[in-house]
Amino acid sequence: MTAHTFRDRRRRAVNRLMLALTGVCAVLTVVPLVLIFGYLLREGASSIDLAFLTHTPKPTGETGGGMANGIVGTLEMVGLAALIGLPVAIGAGMYLAESTGSRFATAVRFTADVLNGVPSIVTGIFVYLLVVVPTGGFSALAGSIALATMLVPMVTRTTEEMVRLVPREMLEGGLALGLPRWRTMLGIVLPAARGGIITGALVGIARIAGETAPLLFTALGNQFWQLDPRHPTAALPLQIFSYAISPYDDWHRQAWAGALLLILLVLTLSLGARLVFGRPERRA
Amino acid sequence: MDAQPLQRPRTPIPTAAPVPPAQQPGPAALPTAIEARDFSFWYGANQALNGISLVIPDRRVTAFIGPSGCGKSTFLRSINRMNELIPGTRHQGDVTLRGESVYRGEVDVVGLRRRIGMVFQKSNPFPKSIYDNVAYGPRVNGLARKRADLDELVETSLRSAALWDEVSDRLHTSALGLSGGQQQRLCIARALAAQPDVLLMDEPASALDPIATQKIEELIYGLKQQYTIVIVTHNMQQAARVSDFTAFFYMGSLVEMGRTDLLFTTPKEDRTEAYITGRFG
């Protein structure tokens, strides 16, 4: 009995120690986000005002102005990237989920994983050569293509995982009714995986919304309004970058405000994804 | 059927006047719905079916019984070629539906499956509303073009599956909110809405409680007026209660098939007797 109580006590102590250690790690994971957000709030919150949201940048040296064109440009480019990238990614993800054994699918899966790890600046240079040089100029479209290039592998892999999670009985149920396979996939399996795919897409979009490097050689940035996607266009991350490395205090202030706005945008998208994910379909 | 060795469902269902057992025909004497000729099946190198030959009569309930892994589900899924979804499978011999080969020549698998409804062991309603679960197949297959026709088809199918009264006031709510037994009856309604010729049931009640099981069995008993039903079950009492004919499978072979009342009272094969008296399996 005594041996047991000693071992029990030891076991409990080790358990407590390990729990504490993992708890510390968990806190360390959250700390950066809290610090970043707190710092941005302190530095940037006071600079987010109506002018910041509705005006374009003032000429160099003048104070005031805002990032309205950058906000709209980011939304435009991210929207276009989603429009280009999501259909491709969801289609590819379904293909991968359906073809388990094939060598081609294995190759595509591996390529998607490698593409996921390609530094975003490389993606930018790639799209510069592929789109900017042949079309003869920087454009929002080129920026969108660069962002879509990053979005596709991410969403492809999550779509694949989510489609795989749909019980096989769904596919069999559809096929047993005499539905063609494509119809079963699109009408039954894909909707069953909808929640997870939307979450994956929103997380992916949140990720590309803050990207700066792929836009440097593609969208370039712009001090003025530009809604035509064939021309250089402003984007929040680009604006933040150029203001942050400038020598002017007013621009620094605006860079902080832009950064806060960007993180709010990303946070909103992530929370939206969480809301979708947190509402699981009722299962029997 | 006056000599009843085992219970029928408790609720009486009007049927044709009883015929004395001695005059009742065996499976081969009735019109044939499905026939298998020397049908074998392999999962990779693993042979699951070994030269099955049998006849499934029209508008009767035929039960497949046998211990786990005996090939009864594999054979059932061979009738509508669902096994083809598994890579690395192959077959030999043939299965015919109304005299037409299921496997040979230019058979359209999609068209074939429209003629053969299937109900699975685990109820698998689509993540859609109750209405859309039933309407999806007919809508895609073009069975009902107008809204009113579709409404009618949905109602008839749900009534045939004895589910209408329980769901008529919430047709447009999610099917996933139904109980397990209701979900299984919804799957039956869904299969019926495709207006099939044959209904395959793969252990349709094995995941259900006794009350829900009884409902499904009563349903099967009523549906055989219109459909040829093939049911796989590991429950011998269930086979005895619902089926007209029973086939006993063992280790990939068909040991014996005959009228259910005879097979359960006077089996011809020793292995059948051993199985139904609970000595193995």
Side-chain angles (χ1 to χ4, degrees), chain B residues 154-209:
Chain B
V154 168
E155 180 174 343
T156 326
S157 306
L158 285 170
R159 279 193 195 282
S160 302
L163 189 61
W164 176 256
D165 295 336
E166 290 162 58
V167 300
S168 60
D169 56 341
R170 48 171 173 151
L171 288 177
H172 295 283
T173 60
S174 170
L176 301 176
L178 296 174
S179 73
Q182 288 173 326
Q183 287 193 6
Q184 193 60 298
R185 277 179 284 146
L186 180 65
C187 292
I188 293 173
R190 186 175 75 188
L192 297 179
Q195 305 184 339
D197 182 8
V198 175
L199 202 54
L200 306 179
M201 301 180 133
D202 192 355
E203 303 196 17
S206 66
L208 302 179
D209 64 65

Side-chain angles (χ1 to χ4, degrees), chain B residues 53-129:
Chain B
S53 294
L54 56 73
V55 166
I56 293 169
D58 185 32
R59 279 180 236 196
R60 292 290 188 280
V61 178
T62 303
F64 293 170
I65 61 166
S68 299
C70 69
K72 54 192 192 299
S73 279
T74 299
F75 182 67
L76 188 82
R77 293 165 59 90
S78 296
I79 297 172
N80 66 346
R81 293 176 61 171
M82 286 305 272
N83 282 330
E84 276 174 20
L85 298 175
I86 303 159
T89 55
R90 68 190 174 91
H91 70 92
Q92 226 172 54
D94 200 9
V95 177
T96 59
L97 172 64
R98 308 257 172 232
E100 291 167 49
S101 172
V102 162
Y103 283 94
R104 284 189 198 136
E106 294 294 304
V107 181
D108 167 27
V109 186
V110 168
L112 173 78
R113 291 187 185 135
R114 281 182 198 170
R115 294 170 60 193
I116 304 178
M118 187 162 195
V119 178
F120 296 82
Q121 177 173 10
K122 205 177 136 215
S123 63
N124 55 351
F126 302 142
K128 298 175 182 296
S129 72

Side-chain angles (χ1 to χ4, degrees), chain B residues 27 33 132 209 226 256:
Chain B
D132 285 336
D209 64 65
Q226 292 169 58
E256 183 174 352

Side-chain angles (χ1 to χ4, degrees), chain B residues 232-266:
Chain B
V232 164
T233 177
H234 58 223
N235 178 334
M236 280 178 280
Q237 283 72 34
Q238 185 171 65
R241 283 191 300 263
V242 303
S243 71
D244 300 300
F245 299 99
T246 299
F248 171 57
F249 285 74
Y250 185 60
M251 292 177 70
S253 298
L254 176 70
V255 174
E256 183 174 352
M257 179 173 178
R259 269 168 48 192
T260 299
D261 52 349
L262 298 180
L263 188 124
F264 277 95
T265 48
T266 51

Side-chain angles (χ1 to χ4, degrees), chain A residues 167-181 183-184 186-188 191-192 194 281-284, chain B residues 77 80 82 85-86 110 113-114 116 118 120 122 124-128 136-137 140-141 176-177 183 190-191 194:
Chain A
R168 206 182 156 67
E169 287 85 1
M170 290 289 160
L171 178 69
E172 291 199 340
L175 294 179
L177 278 181
L179 303 177
R181 197 175 181 114
R183 203 72 204 232
T184 312
L186 283 183
I188 293 159
R194 186 179 45 205
E281 308 263 335
R282 261 205 292 174
R283 298 217 164 268
Chain B
R77 293 165 59 90
N80 66 346
M82 286 305 272
L85 298 175
I86 303 159
V110 168
R113 291 187 185 135
R114 281 182 198 170
I116 304 178
M118 187 162 195
F120 296 82
K122 205 177 136 215
N124 55 351
F126 302 142
K128 298 175 182 296
Y136 196 74
V140 171
N141 294 343
L176 301 176
Q183 287 193 6
R190 186 175 75 188

Side-chain angles (χ1 to χ4, degrees), chain A residues 245-284:
Chain A
I245 58 173
S246 77
Y248 311 109
D249 278 344
D250 188 53
W251 281 14
H252 290 166
R253 187 182 59 75
Q254 289 199 27
W256 282 115
L260 178 62
L261 198 66
L262 194 59
I263 206 168
L264 280 175
L265 182 75
V266 170
L267 215 59
T268 312
L269 280 171
S270 301
L271 283 176
R274 181 50 56 91
L275 280 180
V276 173
F277 198 67
R279 185 171 50 85
E281 308 263 335
R282 261 205 292 174
R283 298 217 164 268

